[in-house]
Amino acid sequence: MTASSRIGPSDLLRAHVLALALGTLAAPAMAAPQDLTAVPFEQLLTMEVYSASKFVQQANQAPAMVTVISAADIRDHGWRTLAEVARSVRGLYVSNDRNYSYLGERGFLRPGDFNTRFLLLVDGNRVNDSIYDQAPLGGEFPLDLDLIERIEFVPGPGSSIYGSNAFFGVINVITRQGGDLAGRRVLLEAGSGGARKASVRAGWRSAGGTEFLLAASSRRSAGEDLYYPEYDTPDQHHGVASGIDYERGQRLLASIAGGPLSVTLMHASRTKGVPTGSYAQRFNDPRSRTVDRETLVNALWRSSAGAKEQLSARMFSGLYDFLGDYPDGDGLFVNHDASHARWWGAELSVISTRLAGHTLLAGLDYQRDARLAQRNFDDPGAYNLYDRRQARRVGLYVQDELAVGAATRLNLGLRYDRNSGLPGIVSPRAALIHALTADTTFKAIYGTAFRAPNAFERFYHFAGEGGQLPNPGLARETIDSAELALVHRPGENTRLTATAFRNVVDGLITQRAYAGIPETRFENAARVRARGIEFEYERRWQRGAAMRASYSYSRTGDGQLVNAPAHLAKLNLAAPLGAGSCRGALEVQYVGERQGLAGTTPGYVLANANIVHARLFPNTEASLGIYNLFGRRYADPGAAEHRQAAIAQDGRRLLARISHAF
Amino acid sequence: MRSERARRLGALAALLGALCAPGAAQPVQENDMKAAYVFNFAVFTEWPQEVLAGGAPISLCASAANPLFHALSQLNDKVVNGHRIAVRNTVTPVRGCHVLVLDKNDRERWAQLKRELAGAHVLTVSDDLSISADGAVIGLSVDERRIAFVVDMAAARSARLNLSSKLLRLARSVQ
């Protein structure tokens, strides 16, 4: 790494100047209100509004320190993936190896972990597949971000409600309904690196009030030629991976909601070229790629609101396919890694407010993994692996939220889980939420969570360089987490948060390499501790300007863990620009120095900017996003499958979008 | 190469910036805008002579718990087609209202209100999806930061209100 990739005061200065410029531009919008009854009705229809409701109220009462990202935030910042959204969230950071995006939180991002320690839900339905437990956060996430109503990032143990995988946190995505998106819209995107995207959506509401939504998108990007000095020999194209950083993807969403019933179908497929030569592949071979395909169906029935008992019943089914094409080191054959998972299940829950002062929740959650198949074969050549299994998990949970006096609430939850091949486990959580004053809330949260080892970690077997040995006896990992927080709201539009946490992880499932053995193996590691503090300041102004700034510090074990930055800082700004049809947004992120498997990766500051013009023409919106505004060079640590100690990330990228409503 | 890119980038940003600058309307607080819509609904609705005689005030009703109430109060004493607007906190009877604005707080009493309103010449405007879908004459919604509305013609007919063709043309959908 060169010195220029380190953070420079000039970056911070430039970001500051930009922020000031945004502020100045925003100022004219603060002018005196006009008499709207004097404006022609046709003109009112074209004018933008901003909402008076500032923060989601229940976030204050939640038994966790929730960050809520709204559809408006997504639009302001021009975020394209969940990973980009997560980068802006207090305490989270993202690592990318040009194949997948990996999420880290509060000092933990294990090499070889496919986001298994975060539970990703879309409208309450589990998106993590059942072979790798992977939470897809990049292009492989099955939903376009403009179909999202809001995203809740819930840090801390969530197993007391959700069972396995809700280990470091839960990401709750709530989709928009057909009625909210009434009409038809076409969106086109073009940007650097040959990025192109087209999407269409149509939403309508029938006379009977049933809402329909259909949305589809297709995208591709060529990526860039990338240079890796680790492969710089004449027979490896002098270390240049040419034309294999491409990505292609398609997504489809169909939903129907009417009365108490809603049904959603989601499907996505993503193909990504792998330019890094990971898993000892032949470098710069155009055949190298991974394909992720997931289909999810979720049917939800809810009893009518207003009754003392509210019942809900959910049935779900999922299908996930992975295909990895890895040309062998000499390019003689292509190794195909293929897995297939199929699951279905049901969840029943009831919320009761019958007892005064109590909100009781109880539920039963069942999932059947009807097929967990992992295959590996050489083409031409032999079968290396054909592992077929079935599994199930059952969970039973209760939670009570009770008022203890006027100022104090207690949230007590408990869940019992049985996962195939493992003994039962109980996960408790207790949270005390106490209003110190009218403006200040104190929260104390304690809980434990677990993650059952997945089929990939236990049974995958591939001999040789870049391979893996199975470990059927792998035990689950558990976390014991405590957090103390203060939330101060001096006014309707301002929120200050301070929080301190301590996590103790037992049996952390870790990919381990041994000297003299070419394969790695997943094993339960000894106890690891992490502790830290976080601060956040949020502010909204009249006329729709918003700011969110946070700082996080974490320390792990005796010496920092791999890929665990001690310091994270973030700033997000959005404001109306000029006379009101435009909004501008700026985000600045600092990720501190990280230990890699080989050497350290320096810290970096990254800035992204986005401008949205809401009415370039009638019914036409345009936006321009600039990612990595200052063209910083930065890198993320590589994992065991990489020869690179650090993997360089994208420079400045532009993306223009235009959308038209009919 | 690098500087040319930077120039192109600057030009693009400047272009968008320039497009942002002209005096388009500034964003408006959502509730103020919804109140302005309600005002326009009254402008483009015709009540039968027997319930709204010439020069008589238009009763605009909403519950004080409705988040729009404050914004609606600003319409008090404004004149619509020769009728002064009188904003009232809905108590009973709602049959005396010309315009009744509802929100999600009214969900529970909506079934009962509907019975009460049967045959009455009341323009019901709902700011709640479930009431909009269940027989309100006009339903409000927010889409991409803009206010849209849908009209239920069956409900308008049963309230024997005459909605102008302009209002129907501006609606997102008419059912």
Side-chain angles (χ1 to χ4, degrees), chain A residues 447-463:
Chain A
T448 70
F450 74 96
R451 180 173 80 86
N454 56 50
F456 170 69
E457 290 162 337
R458 290 171 75 188
F459 306 119
Y460 184 79
H461 186 186
F462 180 71

PDB file of all heavy atoms in Angstrom, chain A residues 447-463:
ATOM      1  N   GLY A 447     -28.362 -10.833  26.514  1.00  0.00           N
ATOM      2  CA  GLY A 447     -28.937 -11.976  25.818  1.00  0.00           C
ATOM      3  C   GLY A 447     -27.865 -12.932  25.329  1.00  0.00           C
ATOM      4  O   GLY A 447     -26.674 -12.613  25.318  1.00  0.00           O
ATOM      5  N   THR A 448     -28.305 -14.126  24.958  1.00  0.00           N
ATOM      6  CA  THR A 448     -27.380 -15.060  24.326  1.00  0.00           C
ATOM      7  C   THR A 448     -27.967 -15.465  22.986  1.00  0.00           C
ATOM      8  O   THR A 448     -29.168 -15.362  22.751  1.00  0.00           O
ATOM      9  CB  THR A 448     -27.150 -16.332  25.168  1.00  0.00           C
ATOM     10  OG1 THR A 448     -28.348 -17.107  25.160  1.00  0.00           O
ATOM     11  CG2 THR A 448     -26.757 -16.026  26.587  1.00  0.00           C
ATOM     12  N   ALA A 449     -27.075 -15.875  22.093  1.00  0.00           N
ATOM     13  CA  ALA A 449     -27.514 -16.314  20.769  1.00  0.00           C
ATOM     14  C   ALA A 449     -26.606 -17.432  20.321  1.00  0.00           C
ATOM     15  O   ALA A 449     -25.557 -17.673  20.924  1.00  0.00           O
ATOM     16  CB  ALA A 449     -27.469 -15.155  19.780  1.00  0.00           C
ATOM     17  N   PHE A 450     -27.046 -18.141  19.277  1.00  0.00           N
ATOM     18  CA  PHE A 450     -26.215 -19.243  18.802  1.00  0.00           C
ATOM     19  C   PHE A 450     -26.280 -19.328  17.287  1.00  0.00           C
ATOM     20  O   PHE A 450     -27.153 -18.751  16.644  1.00  0.00           O
ATOM     21  CB  PHE A 450     -26.682 -20.568  19.412  1.00  0.00           C
ATOM     22  CG  PHE A 450     -27.960 -21.088  18.806  1.00  0.00           C
ATOM     23  CD1 PHE A 450     -27.941 -22.030  17.788  1.00  0.00           C
ATOM     24  CD2 PHE A 450     -29.195 -20.622  19.238  1.00  0.00           C
ATOM     25  CE1 PHE A 450     -29.125 -22.505  17.221  1.00  0.00           C
ATOM     26  CE2 PHE A 450     -30.372 -21.088  18.673  1.00  0.00           C
ATOM     27  CZ  PHE A 450     -30.339 -22.033  17.673  1.00  0.00           C
ATOM     28  N   ARG A 451     -25.323 -20.037  16.754  1.00  0.00           N
ATOM     29  CA  ARG A 451     -25.375 -20.399  15.339  1.00  0.00           C
ATOM     30  C   ARG A 451     -24.998 -21.856  15.209  1.00  0.00           C
ATOM     31  O   ARG A 451     -23.931 -22.276  15.669  1.00  0.00           O
ATOM     32  CB  ARG A 451     -24.426 -19.543  14.510  1.00  0.00           C
ATOM     33  CG  ARG A 451     -24.476 -19.923  13.020  1.00  0.00           C
ATOM     34  CD  ARG A 451     -23.678 -18.975  12.171  1.00  0.00           C
ATOM     35  NE  ARG A 451     -22.264 -19.260  12.206  1.00  0.00           N
ATOM     36  CZ  ARG A 451     -21.644 -20.141  11.424  1.00  0.00           C
ATOM     37  NH1 ARG A 451     -22.340 -20.860  10.550  1.00  0.00           N
ATOM     38  NH2 ARG A 451     -20.351 -20.323  11.494  1.00  0.00           N
ATOM     39  N   ALA A 452     -25.891 -22.629  14.598  1.00  0.00           N
ATOM     40  CA  ALA A 452     -25.598 -24.043  14.352  1.00  0.00           C
ATOM     41  C   ALA A 452     -24.636 -24.116  13.165  1.00  0.00           C
ATOM     42  O   ALA A 452     -24.766 -23.340  12.223  1.00  0.00           O
ATOM     43  CB  ALA A 452     -26.894 -24.786  14.032  1.00  0.00           C
ATOM     44  N   PRO A 453     -23.657 -25.035  13.194  1.00  0.00           N
ATOM     45  CA  PRO A 453     -22.768 -25.159  12.040  1.00  0.00           C
ATOM     46  C   PRO A 453     -23.587 -25.580  10.825  1.00  0.00           C
ATOM     47  O   PRO A 453     -24.551 -26.330  10.952  1.00  0.00           O
ATOM     48  CB  PRO A 453     -21.788 -26.257  12.455  1.00  0.00           C
ATOM     49  CG  PRO A 453     -22.491 -27.029  13.516  1.00  0.00           C
ATOM     50  CD  PRO A 453     -23.377 -26.041  14.232  1.00  0.00           C
ATOM     51  N   ASN A 454     -23.224 -25.075   9.646  1.00  0.00           N
ATOM     52  CA  ASN A 454     -24.028 -25.390   8.468  1.00  0.00           C
ATOM     53  C   ASN A 454     -23.438 -26.578   7.708  1.00  0.00           C
ATOM     54  O   ASN A 454     -22.352 -27.081   8.013  1.00  0.00           O
ATOM     55  CB  ASN A 454     -24.178 -24.155   7.577  1.00  0.00           C
ATOM     56  CG  ASN A 454     -22.845 -23.579   7.164  1.00  0.00           C
ATOM     57  OD1 ASN A 454     -21.976 -24.304   6.683  1.00  0.00           O
ATOM     58  ND2 ASN A 454     -22.666 -22.281   7.369  1.00  0.00           N
ATOM     59  N   ALA A 455     -24.181 -27.030   6.695  1.00  0.00           N
ATOM     60  CA  ALA A 455     -23.806 -28.227   5.940  1.00  0.00           C
ATOM     61  C   ALA A 455     -22.451 -28.048   5.258  1.00  0.00           C
ATOM     62  O   ALA A 455     -21.669 -28.992   5.154  1.00  0.00           O
ATOM     63  CB  ALA A 455     -24.885 -28.530   4.906  1.00  0.00           C
ATOM     64  N   PHE A 456     -22.177 -26.824   4.808  1.00  0.00           N
ATOM     65  CA  PHE A 456     -20.896 -26.555   4.151  1.00  0.00           C
ATOM     66  C   PHE A 456     -19.742 -26.716   5.143  1.00  0.00           C
ATOM     67  O   PHE A 456     -18.738 -27.366   4.844  1.00  0.00           O
ATOM     68  CB  PHE A 456     -20.927 -25.141   3.564  1.00  0.00           C
ATOM     69  CG  PHE A 456     -19.598 -24.650   3.073  1.00  0.00           C
ATOM     70  CD1 PHE A 456     -19.000 -25.207   1.945  1.00  0.00           C
ATOM     71  CD2 PHE A 456     -18.945 -23.610   3.729  1.00  0.00           C
ATOM     72  CE1 PHE A 456     -17.779 -24.741   1.485  1.00  0.00           C
ATOM     73  CE2 PHE A 456     -17.717 -23.145   3.272  1.00  0.00           C
ATOM     74  CZ  PHE A 456     -17.129 -23.712   2.152  1.00  0.00           C
ATOM     75  N   GLU A 457     -19.892 -26.166   6.316  1.00  0.00           N
ATOM     76  CA  GLU A 457     -18.815 -26.243   7.307  1.00  0.00           C
ATOM     77  C   GLU A 457     -18.607 -27.669   7.808  1.00  0.00           C
ATOM     78  O   GLU A 457     -17.487 -28.077   8.099  1.00  0.00           O
ATOM     79  CB  GLU A 457     -19.131 -25.321   8.492  1.00  0.00           C
ATOM     80  CG  GLU A 457     -19.043 -23.849   8.148  1.00  0.00           C
ATOM     81  CD  GLU A 457     -19.763 -22.946   9.142  1.00  0.00           C
ATOM     82  OE1 GLU A 457     -20.691 -23.416   9.852  1.00  0.00           O
ATOM     83  OE2 GLU A 457     -19.431 -21.763   9.193  1.00  0.00           O
ATOM     84  N   ARG A 458     -19.684 -28.435   7.881  1.00  0.00           N
ATOM     85  CA  ARG A 458     -19.568 -29.783   8.445  1.00  0.00           C
ATOM     86  C   ARG A 458     -19.173 -30.841   7.424  1.00  0.00           C
ATOM     87  O   ARG A 458     -18.397 -31.740   7.726  1.00  0.00           O
ATOM     88  CB  ARG A 458     -20.910 -30.199   9.087  1.00  0.00           C
ATOM     89  CG  ARG A 458     -21.218 -29.436  10.356  1.00  0.00           C
ATOM     90  CD  ARG A 458     -22.630 -29.703  10.826  1.00  0.00           C
ATOM     91  NE  ARG A 458     -22.772 -31.038  11.436  1.00  0.00           N
ATOM     92  CZ  ARG A 458     -23.944 -31.562  11.785  1.00  0.00           C
ATOM     93  NH1 ARG A 458     -25.050 -30.888  11.564  1.00  0.00           N
ATOM     94  NH2 ARG A 458     -24.002 -32.753  12.333  1.00  0.00           N
ATOM     95  N   PHE A 459     -19.733 -30.756   6.214  1.00  0.00           N
ATOM     96  CA  PHE A 459     -19.616 -31.912   5.309  1.00  0.00           C
ATOM     97  C   PHE A 459     -18.857 -31.669   4.015  1.00  0.00           C
ATOM     98  O   PHE A 459     -18.567 -32.602   3.287  1.00  0.00           O
ATOM     99  CB  PHE A 459     -21.022 -32.430   4.966  1.00  0.00           C
ATOM    100  CG  PHE A 459     -21.846 -32.729   6.190  1.00  0.00           C
ATOM    101  CD1 PHE A 459     -23.025 -32.058   6.440  1.00  0.00           C
ATOM    102  CD2 PHE A 459     -21.414 -33.697   7.106  1.00  0.00           C
ATOM    103  CE1 PHE A 459     -23.778 -32.331   7.574  1.00  0.00           C
ATOM    104  CE2 PHE A 459     -22.168 -33.972   8.235  1.00  0.00           C
ATOM    105  CZ  PHE A 459     -23.348 -33.290   8.476  1.00  0.00           C
ATOM    106  N   TYR A 460     -18.563 -30.409   3.691  1.00  0.00           N
ATOM    107  CA  TYR A 460     -17.899 -30.159   2.417  1.00  0.00           C
ATOM    108  C   TYR A 460     -16.491 -30.740   2.458  1.00  0.00           C
ATOM    109  O   TYR A 460     -15.757 -30.556   3.436  1.00  0.00           O
ATOM    110  CB  TYR A 460     -17.845 -28.652   2.126  1.00  0.00           C
ATOM    111  CG  TYR A 460     -17.245 -28.349   0.777  1.00  0.00           C
ATOM    112  CD1 TYR A 460     -17.996 -28.494  -0.383  1.00  0.00           C
ATOM    113  CD2 TYR A 460     -15.924 -27.920   0.664  1.00  0.00           C
ATOM    114  CE1 TYR A 460     -17.454 -28.234  -1.626  1.00  0.00           C
ATOM    115  CE2 TYR A 460     -15.363 -27.653  -0.571  1.00  0.00           C
ATOM    116  CZ  TYR A 460     -16.135 -27.814  -1.719  1.00  0.00           C
ATOM    117  OH  TYR A 460     -15.592 -27.555  -2.939  1.00  0.00           O
ATOM    118  N   HIS A 461     -16.125 -31.431   1.394  1.00  0.00           N
ATOM    119  CA  HIS A 461     -14.815 -32.064   1.348  1.00  0.00           C
ATOM    120  C   HIS A 461     -14.228 -31.904  -0.043  1.00  0.00           C
ATOM    121  O   HIS A 461     -14.813 -32.341  -1.029  1.00  0.00           O
ATOM    122  CB  HIS A 461     -14.953 -33.554   1.702  1.00  0.00           C
ATOM    123  CG  HIS A 461     -13.624 -34.237   1.825  1.00  0.00           C
ATOM    124  ND1 HIS A 461     -13.487 -35.578   2.022  1.00  0.00           N
ATOM    125  CD2 HIS A 461     -12.356 -33.739   1.787  1.00  0.00           C
ATOM    126  CE1 HIS A 461     -12.202 -35.897   2.091  1.00  0.00           C
ATOM    127  NE2 HIS A 461     -11.489 -34.800   1.944  1.00  0.00           N
ATOM    128  N   PHE A 462     -13.085 -31.260  -0.105  1.00  0.00           N
ATOM    129  CA  PHE A 462     -12.372 -31.158  -1.380  1.00  0.00           C
ATOM    130  C   PHE A 462     -10.890 -31.247  -1.086  1.00  0.00           C
ATOM    131  O   PHE A 462     -10.325 -30.397  -0.395  1.00  0.00           O
ATOM    132  CB  PHE A 462     -12.716 -29.842  -2.082  1.00  0.00           C
ATOM    133  CG  PHE A 462     -12.000 -29.681  -3.394  1.00  0.00           C
ATOM    134  CD1 PHE A 462     -12.365 -30.461  -4.495  1.00  0.00           C
ATOM    135  CD2 PHE A 462     -10.950 -28.788  -3.527  1.00  0.00           C
ATOM    136  CE1 PHE A 462     -11.703 -30.325  -5.706  1.00  0.00           C
ATOM    137  CE2 PHE A 462     -10.279 -28.650  -4.739  1.00  0.00           C
ATOM    138  CZ  PHE A 462     -10.659 -29.419  -5.825  1.00  0.00           C
ATOM    139  N   ALA A 463     -10.274 -32.308  -1.597  1.00  0.00           N
ATOM    140  CA  ALA A 463      -8.868 -32.540  -1.283  1.00  0.00           C
ATOM    141  C   ALA A 463      -7.980 -31.689  -2.187  1.00  0.00           C
ATOM    142  O   ALA A 463      -8.342 -31.390  -3.317  1.00  0.00           O
ATOM    143  CB  ALA A 463      -8.539 -34.023  -1.472  1.00  0.00           C
TER     144      ALA A 463
END
